[in-house]
Amino acid sequence: MTYTGLDRKSYEEAVAATRDRRMQWWREARFGLFIHYGLYSVLGRHEWAMAVGNYPVELYEQLVDGFRPAPDCAKRWAELARKAGMKYAVLTSRHHEGFSLWDSEANPWNSVRCGPGRDIVGEFVAACRAEGLGVGLYSSLMDWHHPDAGRAAYDREARLRFQDYIRALNRELVTQYGIDVLWYDVAQPMEHWEGWDSLSLNQMVRDLKPDIILNNRSRLDEDFGTPEERVTAEAAGRDWEACMTFNGLSWGYLDVAQTANYAYNGQGILRMLNTAAHGAGNLLLNIGPPADGSVPQDALAPLEAVGRWLARHGEAAYGLVDRCDVRRCSGIAGTSRRGRTLYLWCWVWPDDGTLRIGGFRTAVRGVRLLGSDVKPGFEQDQYAITITDLPSENPDPELGVGVIAVEFEEEPAYIFASRYPQLHGGQVYPDWR
Ligand code: GLC
């Protein structure tokens, strides 16, 4: 299959035809690590510091002197991802500032020829492969360092030169590092895919690496949507990955001594992970290392706790799942579903030993408690399912999120139970919503 030369409709049909095969590992992965690392990490004032601080290029370039990645920083990132139960990682290869973290021919302003003399991208890819992780590279389409980037908006020659530059950068990344995901960002200043010539850019990328996965930020839909700072299922039938900062403040490093109160704890991460599993999407959770590349301290403990949780309860999160149409069936649990199995992520543990869930008209076959040898029982009538014999102690002592798996005889039919069951004689009308 050659993509280059196809018109947009034929290209999108051809790409869609291979999507299920290309994306199966990614859909099963559920959970990835985003890493924002660049010269802005030296400043510690957000990854948009160059723009919002209106730094002249010459002044901003001086930051390279303070950019000192520790020898094993990429290994620490990959190790954190594995310990957190993440299955892939995405690194900013070049952010809007325009500084490349690999020895780019197209962009001599890079971390090999300036500053640390290190191929950070190469170290990151090797570390991820050693930890068995999928590998993605973030690639900004916007660039505050390139002389043509701004003029591209109104000067055709500048736009063509800038397009060639962007193509060259992404060709290098795909051919030199064998990546699984190319994560575009901020297609500006051009406001539409034709302005970027995104069709031929992405056709080139896919011809170079046919099994690559592309996000929707080159102004073509491509393989997945990217809700940002909100975990929200995209349109039905559309793959999506919610990208989230760790603190709701910045993708780039901020002083962790001051962000600790904003950072997610383990339970907060599980809430996002549940929403991703519930909506059959992914969660890409970010860390913004400081100038030395170390893992921000406010991320370490919660991510490792989530990794221990996933080691016991991963069945509810990983793998191909169905979009779950079951909401509030218990009031105290989030839900995810795979076929005829419904997972109840209990944010509050029913310590009286029972849990009532309403709205189902499908017979239950059995109930399991993930990560525990306890065998709960259940009763079912026309009103509700009552799960019984649950341990009074929370089965998940560390994060307090026990998971109950309810196995139905077939895919569960669910209608949010009426608030007036007596009016319906306990029968939930088939078409009542
Ligand atoms: C936004 C920000 C950018 C960040 C990206 C992550 O585009 O502008 O700085 O890298 O979100 O999704």
Side-chain angles (χ1 to χ4, degrees):
M1 177 78 216
T2 300
Y3 293 102
T4 298
L6 295 177
D7 64 33
R8 181 177 175 184
K9 183 172 180 299
S10 307
Y11 166 75
E12 291 183 338
E13 286 168 355
V15 168
T18 64
R19 183 161 295 132
D20 287 347
R21 177 184 56 74
R22 288 183 292 112
M23 293 190 73
Q24 177 159 344
W25 74 268
W26 184 91
R27 291 169 177 165
E28 291 173 343
R30 188 73 58 238
F31 192 24
L33 180 66
F34 212 171
I35 303 123
H36 274 69
Y37 187 51
L39 299 189
Y40 47 82
S41 309
V42 177
L43 274 178
R45 288 288 187 281
H46 198 279
E47 79 282 353
W48 273 61
M50 183 176 178
V52 297
N54 200 22
Y55 284 77
V57 168
E58 301 69 29
L59 178 61
Y60 193 84
E61 286 176 340
Q62 293 173 24
L63 289 172
V64 78
D65 299 335
F67 186 65
R68 295 198 184 87
D72 59 353
C73 63
K75 285 183 183 171
R76 298 288 79 74
W77 303 336
E79 185 182 64
L80 172 70
R82 173 181 51 79
K83 285 182 174 178
M86 295 161 157
K87 301 297 185 184
Y88 64 103
V90 179
L91 169 70
T92 52
S93 68
R94 177 188 126 277
H95 205 262
H96 312 333
E97 65 186 12
F99 186 66
S100 292
L101 299 185
W102 79 97
D103 189 11
S104 169
E105 287 300 324
N107 180 18
W109 192 49
N110 65 59
S111 61
V112 175
R113 304 185 193 185
C114 316
R118 298 258 297 278
D119 174 5
I120 305 295
V121 167
E123 292 173 26
F124 166 74
V125 172
C128 287
R129 295 306 186 201
E131 295 286 359
L133 299 170
V135 175
L137 288 178
Y138 165 110
S139 177
S140 177
L141 296 175
M142 180 164 70
D143 192 301
W144 297 324
H145 187 269
H146 192 284
D148 289 322
R151 284 204 299 268
Y154 54 82
D155 174 334
R156 183 176 182 279
E157 292 311 310
R159 177 163 59 83
L160 295 176
R161 287 192 301 270
F162 187 55
Q163 279 176 354
D164 288 346
Y165 172 69
I166 292 293
R167 288 173 71 89
L169 290 173
N170 288 293
R171 175 189 291 275
E172 289 176 6
L173 293 177
V174 174
T175 53
Q176 292 174 23
Y177 296 104
I179 55 176
D180 305 310
V181 182
L182 185 57
W183 214 100
Y184 293 123
D185 193 25
V186 188
Q188 286 180 10
M190 278 68 81
E191 296 299 325
H192 43 70
W193 70 267
E194 294 94 336
W196 278 99
D197 201 10
S198 299
L199 182 61
S200 70
L201 168 66
N202 296 349
Q203 288 171 334
M204 172 198 77
V205 167
R206 291 191 188 275
D207 282 341
L208 289 168
K209 196 150 191 314
D211 61 351
I212 202 162
I213 296 171
L214 296 179
N215 76 355
N216 65 336
R217 294 195 179 185
S218 63
R219 299 195 185 277
L220 290 172
D221 286 346
E222 297 300 355
D223 292 318
F224 65 94
T226 52
E228 182 174 311
E229 291 290 55
R230 68 192 196 287
V231 188
T232 312
E234 294 264 310
R238 173 81 168 132
D239 286 289
W240 58 277
E241 173 195 73
C243 53
M244 302 295 290
T245 59
F246 207 82
N247 49 35
L249 298 172
S250 169
W251 298 93
Y253 176 68
L254 296 181
D255 177 8
V256 287
Q258 301 183 58
T259 60
N261 294 331
Y262 300 99
Y264 288 110
N265 60 16
Q267 289 84 353
I269 296 169
L270 288 184
R271 292 295 305 274
M272 295 191 286
L273 204 52
N274 170 251
T275 305
H278 180 92
N282 284 14
L283 172 65
L284 187 67
L285 185 55
N286 181 71
I287 59 168
D292 68 358
S294 56
V295 172
Q297 282 309 302
D298 58 359
L300 208 52
L303 281 174
E304 290 185 343
V306 166
R308 289 188 288 270
W309 186 91
L310 284 166
R312 295 180 65 213
H313 307 87
E315 177 190 335
Y318 295 129
L320 297 181
V321 291
D322 298 286
R323 280 201 182 205
C324 193
D325 54 2
V326 179
R327 275 257 182 248
R328 290 192 297 272
C329 62
S330 73
I332 59 170
T335 54
S336 60
R337 181 173 73 82
R338 179 181 299 105
R340 57 181 184 77
T341 304
L342 177 75
Y343 298 97
L344 303 173
W345 304 37
C346 297
W347 310 124
V348 171
W349 186 250
D351 52 10
D352 64 354
T354 65
L355 180 61
R356 182 183 174 95
I357 57 177
F360 293 94
R361 295 180 297 143
T362 309
V364 170
R365 178 182 291 179
V367 179
R368 292 181 289 125
L369 192 53
L370 297 196
S372 165
D373 297 329
V374 171
K375 303 275 184 254
F378 72 93
E379 296 154 10
Q380 184 170 18
D381 63 20
Q382 72 269 42
Y383 292 101
I385 300 162
T386 301
I387 299 167
T388 61
D389 308 311
L390 290 166
S392 54
E393 290 298 310
N394 193 313
D396 176 47
E398 182 171 20
L399 291 180
V401 182
V403 177
I404 300 167
V406 183
E407 307 280 358
F408 288 89
E409 291 294 352
E410 56 194 44
E411 284 201 11
Y414 174 76
I415 295 179
F416 180 45
S418 158
R419 288 162 298 189
Y420 309 102
Q422 66 280 12
L423 294 183
H424 303 296
Q427 292 308 312
V428 180
Y429 288 136
D431 57 355
W432 186 81
R433 288 283 174 198

